[in-house]
């Protein structure tokens, strides 16, 4: 059974979180959203990831992205673990995690959203959550999903870079090439004919000559 696919409406789930019970759509409002899961509270990789996510939260806010995390422990555990995460960050100006953490201690959401990692089990043999990332657009559609195993931590700078590309390509008819960063040239998608590309991108379109003679490698300054 496939889980959520790109373009699917994201489920408007209700969840208990460290900021109280919420419904996802009410929480997100008109913003973009990022939901990221963690295998377990009080685990080393998760602590570094949540610490980094907390530190980068102003960058997500700048991009109008609301953050929400999930781990399969109770609210009590989340509150206590949050203190460890803040201590790991060693930043005394921050006194709480700047986004809610869902308490999915019955794994209901983890199952519904296809987040479990079959390779990683707890002491009673129950699967832990994988490191899943969902980016949700303001119209509540799934725009990106990443699924890392529990043993591999994510790169939150890369997640911000991807959000920059998603937000750019949501409004402009361009695609971003390998290792693109905001401000770099972007690519003209193959479906746009040459004459239309010239009028769509007045800053100019540069086409690289290729052995095939096909004119598909087309760059333009980021609009
Ligand atoms: C961790 O967060 O460190 C972790 C969690 C589950 C399995 C392996 C590592």
């Amino acid at each position: 059974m496939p889980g959520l696919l790109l373009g699917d409406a994201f489920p408007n789930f209700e969840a208990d979180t460290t900021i109280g019970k919420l419904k996802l759509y009410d929480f997100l409002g008109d913003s973009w959203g990022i939901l990221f899961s963690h295998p377990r509270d009080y685990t080393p990789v998760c602590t570094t990831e949540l610490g980094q996510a907390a530190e980068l939260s102003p960058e997500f806010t700048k991009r109008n992205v609301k953050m929400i995390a999930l781990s399969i422990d109770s609210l009590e555990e989340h509150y206590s673990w949050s203190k460890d995460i803040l201590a790991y960050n060693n930043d005394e100006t921050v006194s709480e995690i700047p986004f809610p953490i869902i308490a999915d201690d019955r794994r209901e959401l983890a199952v519904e959203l296809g987040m479990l990692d079959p390779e990683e089990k707890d002491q009673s043999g129950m699967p832990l959550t994988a490191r899943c990332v969902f980016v949700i657009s303001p119209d509540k559609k799934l725009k990106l999903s990443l699924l890392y195993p529990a043993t591999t931590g994510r790169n939150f700078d890369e997640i911000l870079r991807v959000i920059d590309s998603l937000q750019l390509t949501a409004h402009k008819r361009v695609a971003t090439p390998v290792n693109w960063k905001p401000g770099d040239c972007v690519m003209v998608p193959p479906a746009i004919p040459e004459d239309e590309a010239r009028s769509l991108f007045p800053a100019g379109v540069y086409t690289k000559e290729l052995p095939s003679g096909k004119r598909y490698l087309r760059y333009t300054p980021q609009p």
Side-chain angles (χ1 to χ4, degrees):
M1 274 278 286
L4 280 174
L5 300 176
L6 293 185
D8 283 356
F10 207 84
N12 186 18
F13 60 75
E14 188 171 81
D16 286 320
T17 81
T18 48
I19 60 163
K21 203 181 258 310
L22 59 76
K23 281 206 89 167
L24 184 70
Y25 287 12
D26 295 336
F27 170 70
L28 294 178
D30 295 329
S31 302
W32 287 70
I34 177 170
L35 166 63
F36 45 103
S37 62
H38 296 274
R40 193 103 244 198
D41 293 10
Y42 308 110
T43 50
V45 178
C46 296
T47 302
T48 61
E49 284 192 321
L50 270 184
Q52 176 72 3
E55 220 167 81
L56 287 176
S57 97
E59 291 297 321
F60 286 90
T61 305
K62 224 193 269 174
R63 292 162 173 81
N64 190 29
V65 180
K66 287 208 165 173
M67 309 169 79
I68 183 163
L70 177 151
S71 178
I72 53 172
D73 289 291
S74 66
L75 278 180
E76 261 170 41
E77 303 282 28
H78 287 357
Y79 291 130
S80 163
W81 181 38
S82 296
K83 294 188 191 130
D84 290 357
I85 296 162
L86 292 171
Y88 162 77
N89 270 3
N90 228 354
D91 178 356
E92 277 160 22
T93 65
V94 179
S95 58
E96 53 186 34
I97 302 290
F99 47 80
I101 307 175
I102 296 170
D104 191 28
D105 36 355
R106 289 193 297 185
R107 293 172 170 74
E108 285 169 350
L109 259 183
V111 170
E112 180 184 344
L113 299 175
M115 290 172 156
L116 291 178
D117 182 341
E119 297 288 322
E120 293 295 331
K121 308 243 165 67
D122 67 12
Q123 279 149 348
S124 58
M126 294 289 285
L128 300 179
T129 344
R131 300 182 193 282
C132 195
V133 178
F134 292 124
V135 178
I136 305 156
S137 54
D139 61 357
K140 312 296 181 291
K141 299 271 170 54
L142 178 67
K143 288 305 206 186
L144 173 120
S145 76
L146 294 173
L147 190 55
Y148 282 36
T151 41
T152 301
R154 288 156 288 195
N155 180 331
F156 278 75
D157 290 324
E158 166 63 4
I159 293 170
L160 284 169
R161 191 193 71 87
V162 166
I163 287 171
D164 286 332
S165 171
L166 292 174
Q167 293 186 336
L168 174 70
T169 57
H171 298 290
K172 305 281 181 193
R173 289 177 66 196
V174 297
T176 60
V178 62
N179 297 340
W180 173 86
K181 298 181 302 310
D184 289 354
C185 278
V186 296
M187 315 230 57
V188 179
I192 301 181
E194 290 210 11
D195 48 351
E196 192 185 350
R198 272 193 297 275
S199 61
L200 262 180
F201 305 111
V205 176
Y206 162 75
T207 305
K208 185 164 172 58
E209 300 296 333
L210 296 167
S212 67
K214 296 184 191 295
R215 298 174 55 78
Y216 60 90
L217 211 58
R218 297 179 295 173
Y219 294 88
T220 189
Q222 180 184 327

